[in-house]
Amino acid sequence: MTAAASRIARTALRPAAAIVAALVATGAVTGCSWRAETPPIERRTPTPEVAMRDAAAVREQAVLDAAGSGLLKESTARTAAAHLEALGGVYVATPSPSPEWSATASEPVPQHALEDAVKAAIEGALDAASTAAASDPSLTALLRSIALSHAVALDAPAAAGEAPAARPMPGTSTDSLVPAEGTAVPAATLAALAVDHDRAAFALEVGAARAEEDERLAALELAALHRARAADLIALDGVDDARAELYAVSPDSVASPASRAALALAIEIDLAERYARLLGDATADDADWILNASYDAYVRAASLPGFAATDVPALPGLELAD
């Protein structure tokens, strides 16, 4: 090949090389473009109910993290852990070494004074239960149960040693301990509750007959509260009066001051649980008086000798609903 021919060949190859280089560059750019256009990882899009559950879990974690002492700390350490488990735990979008980081809260769960954290948990649970009532009955029942549990834990310490009294639950929309006319709770259920209160009064009166002085007076005051509640329930339209003149009372249950104290405590806790079991199917109109009636019995139990932190219910109404 002559020198001239060689120059012509090299000149002809330059455009081809340029085209190849351009294609390589284009491929690299296009490759980046393909990676950029890959669909991102889908993130969790919670429904309103899931968001309420997440927020409730954050509040329960705050209760567990809060500094405190005494019966309130001892009881909430157990009950808030049960609440958190029932709620499914605090949701974390990207797991990290810090389990307290909540995707719902968008910041680490703060430290609160225990009473403030419990009050926030009660208020939040009641508000969320009201919102969820129309769409998620099971979440609504859980939130009501959580609010009741925290309310008992919060007020039990101050109730210790107090005289028998009727106490509605703070935060509810009514002070009533019995339903209004038109309640959705079956009349037979209300009649059975009236009998429960009447039976409780009878047992307390039998115990009072064997007691002396302050113990007798306290037992009679407590019996009078139960007689009055039975009468209030019977007074509702359509509720049959199934009360009896006499009820069976075990002699051993009233034989000593210790056994009579245990009987009174058992009566109140049993009644509290009976009311709490109505929460699962309660309508919005019935929920508050049921919360009041259950709270009233639980806190009255807390006023009696022998009440312990383990008597504060973790999930009242749900623990027994098999």
Side-chain angles (χ1 to χ4, degrees):
M1 179 181 293
T2 64
S6 178
R7 284 196 302 273
I8 292 170
R10 285 197 299 271
T11 302
L13 287 172
R14 284 190 192 112
I19 292 171
V20 171
L23 287 172
V24 171
T26 302
V29 173
T30 304
C32 291
S33 175
W34 291 337
R35 287 193 291 273
E37 292 173 2
T38 300
I41 297 173
E42 291 187 9
R43 290 188 176 273
R44 180 174 179 260
T45 304
T47 64
E49 291 76 18
V50 169
M52 284 187 281
R53 187 180 291 267
D54 288 347
V58 171
R59 291 191 296 268
E60 295 308 310
Q61 186 65 60
V63 171
L64 286 172
D65 292 342
S69 61
L71 188 147
L72 180 59
K73 182 62 177 180
E74 186 179 348
S75 59
T76 54
R78 173 179 56 85
T79 59
H83 302 164
L84 196 57
E85 182 179 359
L87 290 162
V90 174
Y91 170 65
V92 179
T94 304
S96 71
S98 176
E100 293 179 343
W101 186 272
S102 166
T104 304
S106 299
E107 59 185 17
V109 175
Q111 293 284 330
H112 293 294
L114 184 54
E115 287 192 9
D116 290 343
V118 173
K119 289 176 182 178
I122 295 169
E123 182 179 357
L126 289 176
D127 288 346
S130 178
T131 301
S135 59
D136 194 332
S138 63
L139 176 59
T140 300
L142 176 58
L143 291 168
R144 289 169 178 167
S145 181
I146 287 172
L148 175 57
S149 171
H150 278 316
V152 174
L154 183 65
D155 296 333
E162 291 292 305
R167 302 175 180 87
M169 178 172 150
T172 57
S173 62
T174 177
D175 290 339
S176 180
L177 300 168
V178 295
E181 296 296 344
T183 176
V185 177
T189 299
L190 298 175
L193 286 168
V195 170
D196 290 337
H197 281 287
D198 198 55
R199 181 185 289 111
F202 182 84
L204 291 164
E205 288 164 353
V206 171
R210 300 194 177 193
E212 296 179 355
E213 299 178 350
D214 290 346
E215 183 194 349
R216 172 178 289 182
L217 291 175
L220 290 175
E221 288 180 13
L222 191 53
L225 283 174
H226 287 291
R227 292 284 189 198
R229 186 72 57 78
D232 289 342
L233 289 166
I234 293 299
L236 295 169
D237 286 344
V239 178
D240 293 332
D241 188 351
R243 293 174 293 180
E245 291 293 329
L246 300 172
Y247 301 92
V249 178
S250 168
D252 289 344
S253 68
V254 294
S256 68
S259 62
R260 292 190 290 271
L263 174 63
L265 182 62
I267 284 172
E268 297 301 339
I269 291 177
D270 181 66
L271 278 165
E273 291 172 345
R274 287 176 185 271
Y275 278 110
R277 293 186 73 170
L278 300 179
L279 287 172
D281 298 323
T283 65
D285 291 335
D286 281 321
D288 283 351
W289 80 261
I290 294 171
L291 284 169
N292 288 344
S294 183
Y295 167 90
D296 171 57
Y298 274 125
V299 176
R300 193 157 45 249
S303 74
L304 300 174
F307 186 85
T310 52
D311 291 318
V312 175
L315 291 169
L318 305 184
E319 294 169 313
L320 300 178
D322 299 324

